Amino acid sequence: MSKSALLKSSIAKKYWMAMTGLFLCLFLVGHLLGNLQLFTGTEEGRQAFNEYGYFMGHNIFIKIMSYLTYASILFHAVDGFLLTRQNIKARPIGYAKNNAAANSSSSSRNMAVLGSAILIFIVMHMANFWWAIKWSSTPFPLHTIELDIPSQMPGAPQQKQEIYYTHDFSTQPVPKNEDVIVKNKTELYIKSVDVKIGEGYKDMHSLVYAFFGHDKSKHGFPANEFALLAVVGYVLSMLILAFHLNHGFGSAFQSLGLRHPRYTKIITLTGKGFAYLVPLAFAVIPVYIYLTK
Amino acid sequence: MKLNLKIWRQKNANDKGQMVTYPIDGIDGDMSFLEMLDILNEELIIKGEDPVAFDHDCREGICGMCSLFINGEAHGPDRAVTTCQLHMRKFKDGETIFIEPWRAKAFPVIKDLIVDRSAFDRVMSAGGFVSVNTSGNTIDANSIPIPKHDADKAFEAATCIGCGACVASCKNSSAMLFVSAKVSQLALLPQGKVEAKDRVLNMVKMMDEEGFGNCTNTGACAVECPKEISLDNIARMNREYFGAMISAE
Ligand code: HEM
Ligand code: SF4
Ligand code: FES
């Protein structure tokens, strides 16, 4: 009995919904802290963000958390689908007149619709960024900087040299030319002797700036002619997320039985704050990028 | 007061059913909703038509028999009342009133506005009791000391009259408020603690088998409940269930 109850019973299904949902809330906080670094469009901001991106891609703890996040999204969506299907079946004939607004919030009544919209957003978001950065067959542009080389002879035109921004920057600048090739996406090798001379950074910062920017190409990333659409879609998705969390955050505590006259008020307040502030902070970033020239 | 009633008519469990409009006149604001329906039925009988079938018994808000989904809300627009306690002054002259049966797969319509709520009885039989030996040596319940606030909470949960308004109001037809009230009224008392684990597991299992939906915590049930049963009970049942699920044999 107790074993099958863990997955089958209505209440246990809600425990999973709540635990995966709260884990995703935690994920949102982590993701947001990273994204907030995008508020600086300068070269320093670019370096900081790309270093952060490199760290995220090369840390075992982050790796574990990312797999947990994928699993949570999947489990949350499948469980939500199963629950919703049962819920629809539980009322085969509906009311001719139903004044549901008199007794419940619209977000609480539309969790499945809101969640499905979030799922569509997640898929598009991962195609635009995660796929482009990690899996795309075309090599992902690395972070390079243009340096002015002082000319040897007076009067000669100043020369520019593109160098890779690397981990071990201090040892020696690695120029971007035909003598240096990229292996395994970020490793820089001298072509003739096949010696690794540095580790570059994927230029994720420029990807984001080109994606949401206002018709601006950015360090090898073509301008996105649908940037406005991308920004509007992103902001709308965050609004939908806010509605989902407006009910979801507090609901998860109730599903887990964490309700007490002393704490329920704090949970509700924290929930409302979280539900609107977190998506708002996410949404401001692409708007900022779009508006900055 | 003149009203335009739109009532669900269904001959029997197999009939498809439909909404039928009945104009009615001469309704007094001090009448209860059921008295208004009595007047309608008298008119229908005089005309030789089949009167509208609806459930009722005590007509004083304590038995839970009267049901009716009125203008989109269980027991109508008023709060903390059953339909027999709902007064016609809550409606405006000339208003159109929709009257429908509870809608849930677990509550099939028997005739017109009457639904079969025996699914609740089967949930109760699955564990909503305390097993006592009644062979003559029964102990007086008052001999066991019980903290006042536990007794109060148990009593509040026990005021549930099993009307089913929670199921009717819930977008998922979930019976969580009813079942949690019945689990809580016993779980809070020493007499009930003995069988607490089996009780919550078995009652929830039966609740699921009867085809009630899952809880989304919309809170509609507690708003529409005539006895103001609190969502605290659902949280308590969620805790009880967790403990029982991970530890029961
Ligand atoms: C970052 C994304 C998401 C977060 C942070 C999140 C968070 C939550 C939380 C905290 C709950 C409340 C759990 C409970 O009531 O116990 C919830 C409920 C729900 N979520 Fe999500 N969710 C996310 C994405 C999704 C997605 C992608 C889907 C579906 C495709 C989805 C579908 C649902 C549904 C259907 C419910 C209500 C389940 C019910 O009570 O009937 N969510 N979500
Ligand atoms: S919990 Fe309230 S609405 Fe539900 S059956 Fe009991 S009294 Fe009726
Ligand atoms: S008839 Fe008994 S509660 Fe309404």
Side-chain angles (χ1 to χ4, degrees), chain A residues 15 87 90-91 96 247 257 259, chain B residues 100 103 214 216 232 238-239:
Chain A
Y15 295 151
N87 294 344
R91 177 163 296 151
H247 176 67
R259 185 187 175 98
Chain B
E100 299 174 73
R103 293 294 189 192
N214 310 290
T216 300
D232 292 351
N238 287 338
R239 288 196 296 275

Side-chain angles (χ1 to χ4, degrees), chain B residues 34-172:
Chain B
L34 297 188
E35 284 175 282
M36 184 274 292
L37 286 180
D38 290 339
I39 290 174
L40 172 72
N41 277 346
E42 272 172 29
E43 288 174 9
L44 290 178
I45 290 166
I46 290 166
K47 278 197 266 179
E49 289 178 34
D50 193 22
V52 178
F54 59 90
D55 259 330
H56 60 106
D57 189 6
C58 70
R59 295 212 174 192
E60 52 187 23
I62 54 171
C63 77
M65 273 312 275
C66 59
S67 48
L68 306 189
F69 208 72
I70 302 162
N71 265 354
E73 283 185 79
H75 298 135
D78 210 357
R79 291 286 168 257
V81 293
T82 52
T83 298
C84 58
Q85 301 296 296
L86 175 67
H87 288 99
M88 292 314 293
R89 53 176 166 271
K90 293 287 164 187
F91 300 90
K92 289 191 294 284
D93 187 32
E95 194 171 341
T96 296
I97 304 177
F98 283 73
I99 309 170
E100 299 174 73
W102 287 171
R103 293 294 189 192
K105 180 162 160 259
F107 288 166
V109 174
I110 298 170
K111 184 175 172 23
D112 294 339
L113 302 170
I114 298 182
V115 297
D116 177 1
R117 281 172 280 188
S118 58
F120 270 7
D121 302 336
R122 290 187 289 276
V123 172
M124 288 304 278
S125 325
F129 50 79
V130 173
S131 310
V132 281
N133 187 344
T134 51
S135 59
N137 51 359
T138 323
I139 303 162
D140 178 19
N142 290 324
S143 63
I144 306 170
I146 297 167
K148 171 87 166 90
H149 51 79
D150 282 359
D152 285 350
K153 276 191 256 172
F155 187 79
E156 274 168 26
T159 58
C160 162
I161 51 179
C163 63
C166 41
V167 174
S169 311
C170 174
K171 77 173 183 71
N172 308 331

Side-chain angles (χ1 to χ4, degrees), chain A residues 81-93:
Chain A
F81 172 79
L82 293 176
L83 285 165
T84 306
R85 196 180 55 173
Q86 278 179 338
N87 294 344
I88 292 170
K89 274 194 194 155
R91 177 163 296 151
I93 302 170

Side-chain angles (χ1 to χ4, degrees), chain A residues 18 22 248-259 267, chain B residues 217 235 238:
Chain A
L22 285 181
F249 193 95
S251 172
F253 284 85
Q254 170 78 354
S255 293
L256 295 171
L258 302 173
R259 185 187 175 98
I267 293 171
Chain B
N217 302 320
N238 287 338

Side-chain angles (χ1 to χ4, degrees), chain A residues 14 17-18 21 24 76-77 111-112 115-116 119 244-245 248 251-252 255, chain B residues 216:
Chain A
K14 286 306 307 267
M17 212 60 204
L24 289 176
H76 189 82
M111 290 301 275
S116 306
L119 190 62
H244 194 73
L245 293 177
S251 172
S255 293
Chain B
T216 300

Side-chain angles (χ1 to χ4, degrees), chain A residues 119-177:
Chain A
L119 190 62
I120 293 171
F121 167 78
I122 293 175
V123 169
M124 294 189 26
H125 187 70
M126 289 183 78
N128 291 336
F129 297 108
W130 179 77
W131 182 265
I133 292 166
K134 281 195 92 150
W135 304 104
S136 170
S137 52
T138 48
F140 192 82
L142 298 184
H143 187 155
T144 57
I145 308 165
E146 267 193 356
L147 285 189
D148 293 330
I149 306 198
S151 51
Q152 308 296 346
M153 274 181 292
Q158 241 197 7
Q159 290 209 311
K160 286 198 188 286
Q161 172 68 58
E162 223 180 339
I163 61 153
Y164 286 103
Y165 180 59
T166 56
H167 258 318
D168 27 23
F169 203 10
S170 53
T171 49
Q172 204 181 12
V174 183
K176 185 179 178 183
N177 56 29

